Amino acid sequence: MRGGLPSSSLSALRGPAVRRLLALRQEQKLTTRHVRLMAQSLEVTERTVWRWLAAAEHDESAAAEPGARAQSKDRFCVTPEVRRLLALWKGNVAAVHRELTARAAKGEENPPPSIPTLHRAIRRDLTPGERAGLAGGERAARKHDVFLARPRGWRNQVWETDHVQAPVLVDVECKPRRPWITWFTDCATNAITGVAVTPGDPSRESVLAALRSAVLREDPYGPFGGLPEKVRVDRGKDFLSRTVTAAFDLLDVTVEDLPAYTPHLKGTVEGLNRAVESMFLAALPGYARQPRPGKRPSCPKDEVLLGFEDFTARLLAWTRWWNTEHRPAPLRGRTPLEAWQDDPTPLRYVAAADLWTFTLEDAGTRTLTTRGIRFRKRDYVGPWMTGQSGIRVRIRFMPHHDHRIEVYHAATGRYLGPADLADQATEEQVGAVRRARAARARRLRKDLQAAQRERYAAATQAEAPQRLGALTAAQAGAELAQTTDSDLSDLALPDLIPPAAPPAGWRTPASLAALTTPGRPAPRPSGCDSTAAAPDSPDGRAAPSTTDEDGDAS
């Protein structure tokens, strides 16, 4: 902006000003004073105004857009090949110019324009979104798009849900881990209706736990809650699992499965994912994205990490602050709680016991025996089972919580009670098993890394890659022999070596005699005297036996 008007407004005034001066010249009333005043008002020099007048007398288009570059028929325009090269070189115009120059030197194409001309053509013929997309892909191009905002709607009309991994290291059983947060948010009031924190990778159990906390309205979950009309998910396998979709169906909630890689279609929860990092997680100890000195950004060794319980408590406290004190811009000065209370839309409720039942996974029916209930090759028992042996029951359980199941009557659906795992291992035994599994996993990873660790010689010219690591002929032969022996032992078949020929006095079917090894027959079993006195032939083979008409050996 120069003077009092922006440059765009001054450009819009150029056309009428030049046409006014042309009219004065045709009436022979144009003076130097008119040109000087016009140059001052347009914030250009007098010479520029005279040049515009001269161009407008010969070209009407020049009078409409004074100062615009004259368009010639042979000016350079961006071609599909230039667009392809821009995508190949990630938007590097200098690299595209070098490529075009090299092709012209070979006689494949015409000489390209200068680099400034190429820059002007790209800025003129390609939109900012196209230039960003050719340089950085579809995600970069999406930043230049215009998205329509959905209407706010009413409370519990639409919820959005998502997993987000917190960029904070938390102490989980003496190991630093980055926990996952699963939450539901109401699109009309920006309220966080439910949240669940998982120390490791989330699963359908995380979704069900967050859903229960979102639907229930009693303490400590209220006053937000109730059943929504629709829930938006983004193709996550946990949200579309059989158990979760069955729970939504039982609760009469519609699931809207959004296309993949479209975060703008669920902007409420995506904005919450960004807000929680900048407003809360960035100030916690163990924040993984904190700028740190040194070439490798690593956490200080003496930094004390939060425990998982402490992290969860702080996150829930921040969630309460977001719902009761924070005033998002779309709510126009109101908190999510005030927006929720100002909405008169009636809510749909569900009893806590029914909600617990609906959000459990169904495992089918079983028969209650004197040993309890057999489930996944293990027995589950409960104190209520006394005198109930022989009835048919239905099992429901929380995913991954295999220490307890919930039992219902198969015919009436009446809740009977929980059943715990019989002969459950102690904490010391479980810890020992976990340590043994971890040691085995470490050994396996070490062996795999050793097998895949191959070093290559550095190359200073174009040549085939050369592996490093010399072996003697004896070492190579021994290793190959060991490998060959092990492979043959794995592939050996029981009938690979044919059995020896039976004694001459035995009657052997022709089909079996063909499978035996020719040569010296096997020794006769002890106790057989029919051919004991038969002398051997001079060549070492048994003398042929004769049989009478009844088939007896003689």
Side-chain angles (χ1 to χ4, degrees), residues 175-441:
K175 292 183 180 180
R177 294 181 180 273
R178 293 175 55 183
W180 285 81
I181 305 173
T182 305
W183 42 28
F184 288 82
T185 178
D186 181 58
C187 296
T189 62
N190 282 52
I192 302 175
T193 57
V195 61
V197 188
T198 311
D201 295 332
S203 63
R204 61 188 186 276
E205 185 262 343
S206 306
V207 180
L208 295 176
L211 178 61
R212 280 196 297 272
S213 67
V215 174
L216 294 176
R217 298 195 63 202
E218 59 266 16
D219 292 336
Y221 308 109
F224 309 96
L227 293 177
E229 299 179 12
K230 181 189 296 185
V231 174
R232 294 194 185 104
V233 300
D234 58 351
R235 287 189 175 273
K237 64 179 182 179
D238 301 328
F239 299 100
L240 298 179
S241 63
R242 182 184 62 182
T243 304
V244 176
T245 53
F248 282 132
D249 291 340
L250 291 173
L251 297 175
D252 193 17
V253 177
T254 303
V255 178
E256 182 180 358
D257 185 15
L258 300 176
Y261 305 105
T262 54
H264 58 281
L265 296 182
K266 52 182 184 67
T268 304
V269 71
E270 291 293 341
L272 179 62
N273 291 339
R274 294 189 297 268
V276 69
E277 179 175 357
S278 60
M279 301 175 67
F280 170 65
L281 300 178
L284 296 180
Y287 180 59
R289 299 171 183 171
Q290 184 72 29
R292 304 182 188 277
K295 296 182 179 180
R296 292 188 176 182
S298 58
C299 298
K301 296 182 179 180
D302 56 348
E303 186 174 16
V304 179
L305 302 179
L306 293 175
F308 177 74
E309 184 178 358
D310 191 8
F311 172 80
T312 305
R314 295 192 184 193
L315 178 65
L316 295 178
W318 181 85
T319 302
R320 288 190 293 271
W321 171 85
W322 173 278
N323 287 336
T324 59
E325 299 182 24
H326 180 56
R327 302 180 185 273
L331 299 183
R332 299 178 180 179
R334 296 182 300 171
T335 64
L337 178 60
E338 294 173 350
W340 181 274
Q341 294 175 345
D342 294 342
D343 194 335
T345 304
L347 303 177
R348 295 190 300 159
Y349 297 98
V350 61
D354 296 338
L355 180 63
W356 172 258
T357 303
F358 293 156
T359 54
L360 292 175
E361 186 167 341
D362 191 356
T365 59
R366 301 287 193 281
T367 300
L368 179 60
T369 65
T370 56
R371 297 180 57 184
I373 298 175
R374 191 70 174 175
F375 176 58
R376 291 183 176 177
K377 300 180 180 180
R378 297 186 294 184
D379 294 325
Y380 290 81
V381 296
W384 56 269
M385 293 182 180
T386 304
Q388 302 283 348
S389 177
I391 65 173
R392 295 287 293 178
V393 296
R394 179 171 294 276
I395 298 175
R396 302 182 71 92
F397 67 100
M398 174 61 67
H400 309 296
H401 290 242
D402 52 359
H403 63 282
R404 169 173 290 190
I405 59 176
E406 305 294 334
V407 186
Y408 298 79
H409 197 281
T412 63
R414 180 172 56 89
Y415 177 65
L416 298 178
D420 295 322
L421 180 64
D423 193 19
Q424 187 172 355
T426 62
E427 291 293 335
E428 292 77 8
Q429 292 174 330
V430 174
V433 171
R434 289 176 178 174
R435 288 191 296 271
R437 291 177 179 176
R440 182 180 59 188

Side-chain angles (χ1 to χ4, degrees), residues 135-152:
E138 183 180 357
R139 180 172 296 181
R142 194 183 298 127
K143 297 180 180 179
H144 298 271
D145 293 341
V146 178
F147 303 101
L148 298 177
R150 293 191 182 98
R152 301 298 298 179

